[in-house]
mmCIF file of all heavy atoms in Angstrom:
data_model
loop_
_atom_site.group_PDB
_atom_site.id
_atom_site.type_symbol
_atom_site.label_atom_id
_atom_site.label_comp_id
_atom_site.label_asym_id
_atom_site.label_seq_id
_atom_site.Cartn_x
_atom_site.Cartn_y
_atom_site.Cartn_z
ATOM 1 N N PHE A 1 -4.515 -1.182 -12.518
ATOM 2 C CA PHE A 1 -4.949 -2.113 -11.471
ATOM 3 C C PHE A 1 -6.453 -1.926 -11.254
ATOM 4 O O PHE A 1 -7.038 -0.900 -11.611
ATOM 5 C CB PHE A 1 -4.168 -1.888 -10.170
ATOM 6 C CG PHE A 1 -4.035 -0.454 -9.755
ATOM 7 C CD1 PHE A 1 -5.065 0.195 -9.078
ATOM 8 C CD2 PHE A 1 -2.887 0.257 -10.049
ATOM 9 C CE1 PHE A 1 -4.948 1.512 -8.697
ATOM 10 C CE2 PHE A 1 -2.759 1.586 -9.674
ATOM 11 C CZ PHE A 1 -3.798 2.219 -8.989
ATOM 12 N N ARG A 2 -7.037 -2.951 -10.674
ATOM 13 C CA ARG A 2 -8.486 -2.940 -10.451
ATOM 14 C C ARG A 2 -8.771 -2.694 -8.982
ATOM 15 O O ARG A 2 -8.148 -3.280 -8.107
ATOM 16 C CB ARG A 2 -9.087 -4.269 -10.900
ATOM 17 C CG ARG A 2 -10.609 -4.331 -10.807
ATOM 18 C CD ARG A 2 -11.105 -5.682 -11.297
ATOM 19 N NE ARG A 2 -10.517 -6.776 -10.505
ATOM 20 C CZ ARG A 2 -10.982 -7.158 -9.302
ATOM 21 N NH1 ARG A 2 -12.016 -6.528 -8.743
ATOM 22 N NH2 ARG A 2 -10.407 -8.158 -8.674
ATOM 23 N N VAL A 3 -9.732 -1.843 -8.741
ATOM 24 C CA VAL A 3 -10.258 -1.579 -7.401
ATOM 25 C C VAL A 3 -11.778 -1.642 -7.518
ATOM 26 O O VAL A 3 -12.359 -0.853 -8.271
ATOM 27 C CB VAL A 3 -9.814 -0.217 -6.849
ATOM 28 C CG1 VAL A 3 -10.382 0.004 -5.445
ATOM 29 C CG2 VAL A 3 -8.289 -0.106 -6.827
ATOM 30 N N ALA A 4 -12.366 -2.604 -6.778
ATOM 31 C CA ALA A 4 -13.795 -2.881 -6.954
ATOM 32 C C ALA A 4 -14.028 -3.260 -8.416
ATOM 33 O O ALA A 4 -13.382 -4.181 -8.914
ATOM 34 C CB ALA A 4 -14.642 -1.706 -6.509
ATOM 35 N N ASP A 5 -14.894 -2.544 -9.106
ATOM 36 C CA ASP A 5 -15.165 -2.879 -10.507
ATOM 37 C C ASP A 5 -14.583 -1.854 -11.473
ATOM 38 O O ASP A 5 -14.935 -1.848 -12.655
ATOM 39 C CB ASP A 5 -16.689 -2.987 -10.724
ATOM 40 C CG ASP A 5 -17.298 -4.151 -9.963
ATOM 41 O OD1 ASP A 5 -16.587 -5.165 -9.783
ATOM 42 O OD2 ASP A 5 -18.455 -4.036 -9.530
ATOM 43 N N GLU A 6 -13.701 -1.008 -10.989
ATOM 44 C CA GLU A 6 -13.142 0.045 -11.832
ATOM 45 C C GLU A 6 -11.650 -0.191 -12.077
ATOM 46 O O GLU A 6 -10.964 -0.832 -11.268
ATOM 47 C CB GLU A 6 -13.330 1.418 -11.175
ATOM 48 C CG GLU A 6 -14.784 1.777 -10.865
ATOM 49 C CD GLU A 6 -15.629 1.945 -12.113
ATOM 50 O OE1 GLU A 6 -15.063 2.183 -13.200
ATOM 51 O OE2 GLU A 6 -16.871 1.831 -12.012
ATOM 52 N N THR A 7 -11.183 0.341 -13.223
ATOM 53 C CA THR A 7 -9.767 0.263 -13.569
ATOM 54 C C THR A 7 -9.112 1.617 -13.330
ATOM 55 O O THR A 7 -9.560 2.639 -13.864
ATOM 56 C CB THR A 7 -9.583 -0.155 -15.038
ATOM 57 O OG1 THR A 7 -10.178 -1.431 -15.252
ATOM 58 C CG2 THR A 7 -8.108 -0.234 -15.394
ATOM 59 N N TYR A 8 -8.071 1.571 -12.534
ATOM 60 C CA TYR A 8 -7.332 2.794 -12.221
ATOM 61 C C TYR A 8 -5.897 2.649 -12.732
ATOM 62 O O TYR A 8 -5.438 1.537 -13.025
ATOM 63 C CB TYR A 8 -7.334 3.059 -10.714
ATOM 64 C CG TYR A 8 -8.708 3.408 -10.164
ATOM 65 C CD1 TYR A 8 -9.603 2.407 -9.802
ATOM 66 C CD2 TYR A 8 -9.099 4.733 -10.015
ATOM 67 C CE1 TYR A 8 -10.859 2.720 -9.304
ATOM 68 C CE2 TYR A 8 -10.345 5.063 -9.516
ATOM 69 C CZ TYR A 8 -11.217 4.055 -9.170
ATOM 70 O OH TYR A 8 -12.464 4.363 -8.685
ATOM 71 N N GLY A 9 -5.203 3.771 -12.786
ATOM 72 C CA GLY A 9 -3.830 3.732 -13.268
ATOM 73 C C GLY A 9 -2.997 4.843 -12.656
ATOM 74 O O GLY A 9 -3.518 5.874 -12.236
ATOM 75 N N ILE A 10 -1.690 4.593 -12.596
ATOM 76 C CA ILE A 10 -0.721 5.597 -12.155
ATOM 77 C C ILE A 10 0.441 5.604 -13.142
ATOM 78 O O ILE A 10 0.677 4.624 -13.864
ATOM 79 C CB ILE A 10 -0.204 5.312 -10.723
ATOM 80 C CG1 ILE A 10 0.506 3.943 -10.669
ATOM 81 C CG2 ILE A 10 -1.322 5.395 -9.703
ATOM 82 C CD1 ILE A 10 1.221 3.667 -9.352
ATOM 83 N N ASP A 11 1.151 6.703 -13.156
ATOM 84 C CA ASP A 11 2.346 6.817 -14.006
ATOM 85 C C ASP A 11 3.364 5.771 -13.546
ATOM 86 O O ASP A 11 3.666 5.657 -12.352
ATOM 87 C CB ASP A 11 2.925 8.219 -13.884
ATOM 88 C CG ASP A 11 4.056 8.478 -14.877
ATOM 89 O OD1 ASP A 11 4.588 7.508 -15.454
ATOM 90 O OD2 ASP A 11 4.415 9.658 -15.059
ATOM 91 N N ILE A 12 3.897 5.001 -14.497
ATOM 92 C CA ILE A 12 4.842 3.936 -14.161
ATOM 93 C C ILE A 12 6.090 4.485 -13.475
ATOM 94 O O ILE A 12 6.762 3.773 -12.711
ATOM 95 C CB ILE A 12 5.222 3.145 -15.436
ATOM 96 C CG1 ILE A 12 5.886 1.817 -15.085
ATOM 97 C CG2 ILE A 12 6.109 3.990 -16.332
ATOM 98 C CD1 ILE A 12 4.963 0.818 -14.488
ATOM 99 N N MET A 13 6.405 5.757 -13.704
ATOM 100 C CA MET A 13 7.575 6.351 -13.090
ATOM 101 C C MET A 13 7.400 6.550 -11.590
ATOM 102 O O MET A 13 8.379 6.749 -10.872
ATOM 103 C CB MET A 13 7.894 7.705 -13.753
ATOM 104 C CG MET A 13 8.197 7.606 -15.231
ATOM 105 S SD MET A 13 9.573 6.468 -15.583
ATOM 106 C CE MET A 13 10.913 7.331 -14.782
ATOM 107 N N GLU A 14 6.170 6.500 -11.107
ATOM 108 C CA GLU A 14 5.914 6.644 -9.665
ATOM 109 C C GLU A 14 5.955 5.302 -8.940
ATOM 110 O O GLU A 14 5.901 5.261 -7.710
ATOM 111 C CB GLU A 14 4.555 7.306 -9.445
ATOM 112 C CG GLU A 14 4.483 8.720 -10.008
ATOM 113 C CD GLU A 14 3.098 9.325 -9.863
ATOM 114 O OE1 GLU A 14 2.125 8.697 -10.330
ATOM 115 O OE2 GLU A 14 2.996 10.415 -9.268
ATOM 116 N N LEU A 15 6.071 4.221 -9.698
ATOM 117 C CA LEU A 15 6.066 2.878 -9.114
ATOM 118 C C LEU A 15 7.442 2.496 -8.602
ATOM 119 O O LEU A 15 8.450 2.708 -9.273
ATOM 120 C CB LEU A 15 5.607 1.859 -10.155
ATOM 121 C CG LEU A 15 5.665 0.381 -9.746
ATOM 122 C CD1 LEU A 15 4.677 0.092 -8.620
ATOM 123 C CD2 LEU A 15 5.419 -0.512 -10.941
ATOM 124 N N LYS A 16 7.463 1.907 -7.394
ATOM 125 C CA LYS A 16 8.706 1.390 -6.830
ATOM 126 C C LYS A 16 8.759 -0.131 -6.979
ATOM 127 O O LYS A 16 9.712 -0.673 -7.501
ATOM 128 C CB LYS A 16 8.811 1.791 -5.357
ATOM 129 C CG LYS A 16 10.076 1.304 -4.670
ATOM 130 C CD LYS A 16 11.328 1.920 -5.284
ATOM 131 C CE LYS A 16 12.583 1.492 -4.549
ATOM 132 N NZ LYS A 16 13.797 2.046 -5.157
ATOM 133 N N GLU A 17 7.735 -0.824 -6.522
ATOM 134 C CA GLU A 17 7.647 -2.270 -6.676
ATOM 135 C C GLU A 17 6.248 -2.732 -6.318
ATOM 136 O O GLU A 17 5.414 -1.944 -5.837
ATOM 137 C CB GLU A 17 8.680 -2.991 -5.807
ATOM 138 C CG GLU A 17 8.560 -2.730 -4.316
ATOM 139 C CD GLU A 17 9.642 -3.433 -3.526
ATOM 140 O OE1 GLU A 17 9.641 -4.681 -3.549
ATOM 141 O OE2 GLU A 17 10.482 -2.741 -2.915
ATOM 142 N N ILE A 18 5.988 -4.022 -6.565
ATOM 143 C CA ILE A 18 4.685 -4.630 -6.249
ATOM 144 C C ILE A 18 4.947 -5.854 -5.379
ATOM 145 O O ILE A 18 5.755 -6.717 -5.732
ATOM 146 C CB ILE A 18 3.935 -5.036 -7.535
ATOM 147 C CG1 ILE A 18 3.695 -3.795 -8.407
ATOM 148 C CG2 ILE A 18 2.613 -5.711 -7.193
ATOM 149 C CD1 ILE A 18 3.126 -4.126 -9.769
ATOM 150 N N ILE A 19 4.245 -5.932 -4.242
ATOM 151 C CA ILE A 19 4.450 -7.047 -3.312
ATOM 152 C C ILE A 19 3.094 -7.663 -2.948
ATOM 153 O O ILE A 19 2.036 -7.041 -3.142
ATOM 154 C CB ILE A 19 5.181 -6.597 -2.028
ATOM 155 C CG1 ILE A 19 4.357 -5.546 -1.287
ATOM 156 C CG2 ILE A 19 6.565 -6.053 -2.360
ATOM 157 C CD1 ILE A 19 4.940 -5.114 0.045
ATOM 158 N N LYS A 20 3.153 -8.865 -2.449
ATOM 159 C CA LYS A 20 1.924 -9.513 -1.976
ATOM 160 C C LYS A 20 1.528 -8.934 -0.620
ATOM 161 O O LYS A 20 2.382 -8.443 0.132
ATOM 162 C CB LYS A 20 2.146 -11.016 -1.856
ATOM 163 C CG LYS A 20 2.315 -11.713 -3.195
ATOM 164 C CD LYS A 20 2.450 -13.227 -2.990
ATOM 165 C CE LYS A 20 2.564 -13.941 -4.329
ATOM 166 N NZ LYS A 20 2.664 -15.421 -4.170
ATOM 167 N N PRO A 21 0.228 -8.989 -0.301
ATOM 168 C CA PRO A 21 -0.213 -8.468 0.997
ATOM 169 C C PRO A 21 0.473 -9.201 2.144
ATOM 170 O O PRO A 21 0.751 -10.401 2.057
ATOM 171 C CB PRO A 21 -1.723 -8.716 0.996
ATOM 172 C CG PRO A 21 -2.079 -8.807 -0.458
ATOM 173 C CD PRO A 21 -0.913 -9.438 -1.124
ATOM 174 N N ARG A 22 0.766 -8.493 3.187
ATOM 175 C CA ARG A 22 1.371 -9.069 4.382
ATOM 176 C C ARG A 22 0.782 -8.389 5.612
ATOM 177 O O ARG A 22 0.091 -7.371 5.500
ATOM 178 C CB ARG A 22 2.885 -8.914 4.339
ATOM 179 C CG ARG A 22 3.357 -7.471 4.274
ATOM 180 C CD ARG A 22 4.867 -7.364 4.114
ATOM 181 N NE ARG A 22 5.308 -7.886 2.816
ATOM 182 C CZ ARG A 22 6.578 -7.886 2.431
ATOM 183 N NH1 ARG A 22 7.519 -7.421 3.255
ATOM 184 N NH2 ARG A 22 6.914 -8.348 1.244
ATOM 185 N N GLU A 23 1.074 -8.958 6.742
ATOM 186 C CA GLU A 23 0.515 -8.424 7.983
ATOM 187 C C GLU A 23 1.066 -7.032 8.264
ATOM 188 O O GLU A 23 2.249 -6.771 8.089
ATOM 189 C CB GLU A 23 0.857 -9.364 9.148
ATOM 190 C CG GLU A 23 0.217 -8.958 10.454
ATOM 191 C CD GLU A 23 0.530 -9.937 11.574
ATOM 192 O OE1 GLU A 23 1.179 -10.969 11.291
ATOM 193 O OE2 GLU A 23 0.142 -9.662 12.723
ATOM 194 N N THR A 24 0.167 -6.180 8.696
ATOM 195 C CA THR A 24 0.547 -4.806 9.010
ATOM 196 C C THR A 24 0.329 -4.531 10.497
ATOM 197 O O THR A 24 -0.420 -5.229 11.172
ATOM 198 C CB THR A 24 -0.279 -3.796 8.194
ATOM 199 O OG1 THR A 24 -1.671 -3.974 8.495
ATOM 200 C CG2 THR A 24 -0.034 -3.973 6.709
ATOM 201 N N THR A 25 0.987 -3.515 10.979
ATOM 202 C CA THR A 25 0.834 -3.091 12.374
ATOM 203 C C THR A 25 -0.067 -1.869 12.403
ATOM 204 O O THR A 25 0.197 -0.869 11.708
ATOM 205 C CB THR A 25 2.213 -2.732 12.971
ATOM 206 O OG1 THR A 25 3.068 -3.873 12.892
ATOM 207 C CG2 THR A 25 2.065 -2.297 14.419
ATOM 208 N N GLU A 26 -1.134 -1.952 13.165
ATOM 209 C CA GLU A 26 -2.089 -0.853 13.225
ATOM 210 C C GLU A 26 -1.465 0.369 13.899
ATOM 211 O O GLU A 26 -0.637 0.252 14.811
ATOM 212 C CB GLU A 26 -3.355 -1.272 13.979
ATOM 213 C CG GLU A 26 -4.163 -2.332 13.255
ATOM 214 C CD GLU A 26 -5.459 -2.644 13.979
ATOM 215 O OE1 GLU A 26 -5.753 -1.953 14.999
ATOM 216 O OE2 GLU A 26 -6.178 -3.557 13.548
ATOM 217 N N VAL A 27 -1.913 1.525 13.436
ATOM 218 C CA VAL A 27 -1.451 2.792 13.988
ATOM 219 C C VAL A 27 -2.618 3.431 14.740
ATOM 220 O O VAL A 27 -3.708 3.608 14.169
ATOM 221 C CB VAL A 27 -0.954 3.734 12.881
ATOM 222 C CG1 VAL A 27 -0.516 5.080 13.468
ATOM 223 C CG2 VAL A 27 0.185 3.089 12.118
ATOM 224 N N PRO A 28 -2.435 3.766 16.027
ATOM 225 C CA PRO A 28 -3.537 4.372 16.793
ATOM 226 C C PRO A 28 -4.044 5.661 16.162
ATOM 227 O O PRO A 28 -3.251 6.466 15.654
ATOM 228 C CB PRO A 28 -2.914 4.635 18.173
ATOM 229 C CG PRO A 28 -1.759 3.698 18.251
ATOM 230 C CD PRO A 28 -1.232 3.573 16.836
ATOM 231 N N HIS A 29 -5.351 5.819 16.169
ATOM 232 C CA HIS A 29 -6.030 7.018 15.667
ATOM 233 C C HIS A 29 -5.757 7.261 14.181
ATOM 234 O O HIS A 29 -5.863 8.402 13.709
ATOM 235 C CB HIS A 29 -5.612 8.259 16.470
ATOM 236 C CG HIS A 29 -5.773 8.107 17.947
ATOM 237 N ND1 HIS A 29 -7.013 8.016 18.560
ATOM 238 C CD2 HIS A 29 -4.847 8.000 18.944
ATOM 239 C CE1 HIS A 29 -6.859 7.873 19.877
ATOM 240 N NE2 HIS A 29 -5.542 7.860 20.135
ATOM 241 N N ALA A 30 -5.415 6.225 13.465
ATOM 242 C CA ALA A 30 -5.192 6.368 12.019
ATOM 243 C C ALA A 30 -6.539 6.414 11.311
ATOM 244 O O ALA A 30 -7.533 5.834 11.772
ATOM 245 C CB ALA A 30 -4.357 5.213 11.498
ATOM 246 N N PRO A 31 -6.639 7.073 10.184
ATOM 247 C CA PRO A 31 -7.876 7.091 9.405
ATOM 248 C C PRO A 31 -8.274 5.675 9.003
ATOM 249 O O PRO A 31 -7.415 4.777 8.906
ATOM 250 C CB PRO A 31 -7.517 7.941 8.193
ATOM 251 C CG PRO A 31 -6.336 8.750 8.603
ATOM 252 C CD PRO A 31 -5.575 7.899 9.568
ATOM 253 N N PRO A 32 -9.540 5.434 8.731
ATOM 254 C CA PRO A 32 -9.987 4.068 8.382
ATOM 255 C C PRO A 32 -9.380 3.523 7.096
ATOM 256 O O PRO A 32 -9.343 2.307 6.890
ATOM 257 C CB PRO A 32 -11.511 4.223 8.262
ATOM 258 C CG PRO A 32 -11.755 5.675 8.062
ATOM 259 C CD PRO A 32 -10.656 6.381 8.770
ATOM 260 N N PHE A 33 -8.924 4.394 6.217
ATOM 261 C CA PHE A 33 -8.340 3.919 4.954
ATOM 262 C C PHE A 33 -6.870 3.549 5.105
ATOM 263 O O PHE A 33 -6.252 3.127 4.136
ATOM 264 C CB PHE A 33 -8.524 4.966 3.841
ATOM 265 C CG PHE A 33 -8.016 6.347 4.188
ATOM 266 C CD1 PHE A 33 -6.671 6.659 4.092
ATOM 267 C CD2 PHE A 33 -8.895 7.324 4.596
ATOM 268 C CE1 PHE A 33 -6.209 7.916 4.405
ATOM 269 C CE2 PHE A 33 -8.437 8.596 4.912
ATOM 270 C CZ PHE A 33 -7.086 8.901 4.817
ATOM 271 N N VAL A 34 -6.290 3.693 6.300
ATOM 272 C CA VAL A 34 -4.900 3.293 6.542
ATOM 273 C C VAL A 34 -4.909 1.957 7.261
ATOM 274 O O VAL A 34 -5.369 1.849 8.404
ATOM 275 C CB VAL A 34 -4.133 4.361 7.364
ATOM 276 C CG1 VAL A 34 -2.713 3.880 7.661
ATOM 277 C CG2 VAL A 34 -4.104 5.693 6.623
ATOM 278 N N ALA A 35 -4.433 0.922 6.570
ATOM 279 C CA ALA A 35 -4.425 -0.422 7.149
ATOM 280 C C ALA A 35 -3.402 -0.542 8.263
ATOM 281 O O ALA A 35 -3.547 -1.382 9.159
ATOM 282 C CB ALA A 35 -4.156 -1.456 6.063
ATOM 283 N N GLY A 36 -2.371 0.253 8.231
ATOM 284 C CA GLY A 36 -1.295 0.203 9.217
ATOM 285 C C GLY A 36 0.043 0.433 8.528
ATOM 286 O O GLY A 36 0.108 1.025 7.427
ATOM 287 N N VAL A 37 1.083 -0.042 9.169
ATOM 288 C CA VAL A 37 2.425 0.123 8.601
ATOM 289 C C VAL A 37 3.086 -1.249 8.532
ATOM 290 O O VAL A 37 2.718 -2.177 9.258
ATOM 291 C CB VAL A 37 3.280 1.095 9.434
ATOM 292 C CG1 VAL A 37 2.680 2.497 9.410
ATOM 293 C CG2 VAL A 37 3.433 0.600 10.862
ATOM 294 N N LEU A 38 4.041 -1.364 7.632
ATOM 295 C CA LEU A 38 4.825 -2.596 7.533
ATOM 296 C C LEU A 38 6.274 -2.233 7.261
ATOM 297 O O LEU A 38 6.592 -1.114 6.855
ATOM 298 C CB LEU A 38 4.259 -3.525 6.457
ATOM 299 C CG LEU A 38 4.159 -3.009 5.006
ATOM 300 C CD1 LEU A 38 5.487 -3.096 4.278
ATOM 301 C CD2 LEU A 38 3.105 -3.802 4.242
ATOM 302 N N SER A 39 7.153 -3.204 7.479
ATOM 303 C CA SER A 39 8.579 -3.001 7.250
ATOM 304 C C SER A 39 8.964 -3.658 5.931
ATOM 305 O O SER A 39 8.774 -4.864 5.743
ATOM 306 C CB SER A 39 9.389 -3.610 8.403
ATOM 307 O OG SER A 39 10.774 -3.476 8.148
ATOM 308 N N LEU A 40 9.498 -2.844 5.034
ATOM 309 C CA LEU A 40 9.942 -3.329 3.727
ATOM 310 C C LEU A 40 11.449 -3.150 3.652
ATOM 311 O O LEU A 40 11.939 -2.037 3.435
ATOM 312 C CB LEU A 40 9.239 -2.557 2.603
ATOM 313 C CG LEU A 40 9.599 -2.970 1.174
ATOM 314 C CD1 LEU A 40 9.170 -4.405 0.905
ATOM 315 C CD2 LEU A 40 8.959 -2.022 0.163
ATOM 316 N N ARG A 41 12.165 -4.249 3.891
ATOM 317 C CA ARG A 41 13.635 -4.229 3.905
ATOM 318 C C ARG A 41 14.168 -3.132 4.837
ATOM 319 O O ARG A 41 15.054 -2.357 4.491
ATOM 320 C CB ARG A 41 14.189 -4.062 2.486
ATOM 321 C CG ARG A 41 13.966 -5.288 1.616
ATOM 322 C CD ARG A 41 14.657 -5.125 0.279
ATOM 323 N NE ARG A 41 14.039 -4.080 -0.511
ATOM 324 C CZ ARG A 41 12.949 -4.223 -1.243
ATOM 325 N NH1 ARG A 41 12.346 -5.421 -1.297
ATOM 326 N NH2 ARG A 41 12.441 -3.235 -1.936
ATOM 327 N N GLY A 42 13.552 -3.079 6.012
ATOM 328 C CA GLY A 42 14.002 -2.141 7.028
ATOM 329 C C GLY A 42 13.382 -0.766 6.939
ATOM 330 O O GLY A 42 13.633 0.080 7.804
ATOM 331 N N ILE A 43 12.565 -0.524 5.922
ATOM 332 C CA ILE A 43 11.916 0.783 5.753
ATOM 333 C C ILE A 43 10.450 0.660 6.167
ATOM 334 O O ILE A 43 9.731 -0.207 5.669
ATOM 335 C CB ILE A 43 12.013 1.279 4.302
ATOM 336 C CG1 ILE A 43 13.481 1.387 3.876
ATOM 337 C CG2 ILE A 43 11.310 2.613 4.133
ATOM 338 C CD1 ILE A 43 13.674 1.768 2.430
ATOM 339 N N ILE A 44 10.002 1.504 7.078
ATOM 340 C CA ILE A 44 8.615 1.490 7.529
ATOM 341 C C ILE A 44 7.782 2.311 6.561
ATOM 342 O O ILE A 44 8.067 3.488 6.313
ATOM 343 C CB ILE A 44 8.495 2.068 8.952
ATOM 344 C CG1 ILE A 44 9.390 1.286 9.922
ATOM 345 C CG2 ILE A 44 7.053 2.044 9.414
ATOM 346 C CD1 ILE A 44 9.039 -0.175 10.033
ATOM 347 N N ILE A 45 6.736 1.684 6.005
ATOM 348 C CA ILE A 45 5.866 2.386 5.067
ATOM 349 C C ILE A 45 4.419 2.204 5.492
ATOM 350 O O ILE A 45 4.016 1.136 5.975
ATOM 351 C CB ILE A 45 6.067 1.872 3.628
ATOM 352 C CG1 ILE A 45 5.638 0.409 3.503
ATOM 353 C CG2 ILE A 45 7.505 2.045 3.181
ATOM 354 C CD1 ILE A 45 5.641 -0.106 2.077
ATOM 355 N N PRO A 46 3.584 3.226 5.343
ATOM 356 C CA PRO A 46 2.147 3.084 5.601
ATOM 357 C C PRO A 46 1.454 2.411 4.423
ATOM 358 O O PRO A 46 1.896 2.542 3.276
ATOM 359 C CB PRO A 46 1.686 4.523 5.784
ATOM 360 C CG PRO A 46 2.631 5.324 4.943
ATOM 361 C CD PRO A 46 3.952 4.613 5.002
ATOM 362 N N VAL A 47 0.387 1.705 4.705
ATOM 363 C CA VAL A 47 -0.379 1.024 3.652
ATOM 364 C C VAL A 47 -1.784 1.605 3.616
ATOM 365 O O VAL A 47 -2.504 1.576 4.632
ATOM 366 C CB VAL A 47 -0.433 -0.502 3.893
ATOM 367 C CG1 VAL A 47 -1.272 -1.173 2.811
ATOM 368 C CG2 VAL A 47 0.980 -1.084 3.904
#
């Protein structure tokens, strides 16, 4: 996948799925690199 102008990669075995961006819920006092959390089929995951 591309981030900025660089190509990065992860082991395919660590991949669960790929989804389109959706609205997230902000988490108070979260680091700036955490967009928030979202619900994926009832499971809350940080983004």
Side-chain angles (χ1 to χ4, degrees):
F1 46 82
R2 184 179 59 81
V3 180
D5 294 329
E6 302 294 339
T7 300
Y8 292 85
I10 61 172
D11 188 345
I12 196 70
M13 299 303 295
E14 297 176 305
L15 175 66
K16 180 64 177 178
E17 60 182 296
I18 300 172
I19 61 176
K20 291 183 178 181
R22 60 185 66 179
E23 185 178 356
T24 60
T25 301
E26 293 184 5
V27 178
H29 307 292
F33 54 81
V34 177
V37 296
L38 59 81
S39 177
L40 181 64
R41 290 186 293 278
I43 301 176
I44 303 299
I45 65 173
V47 178

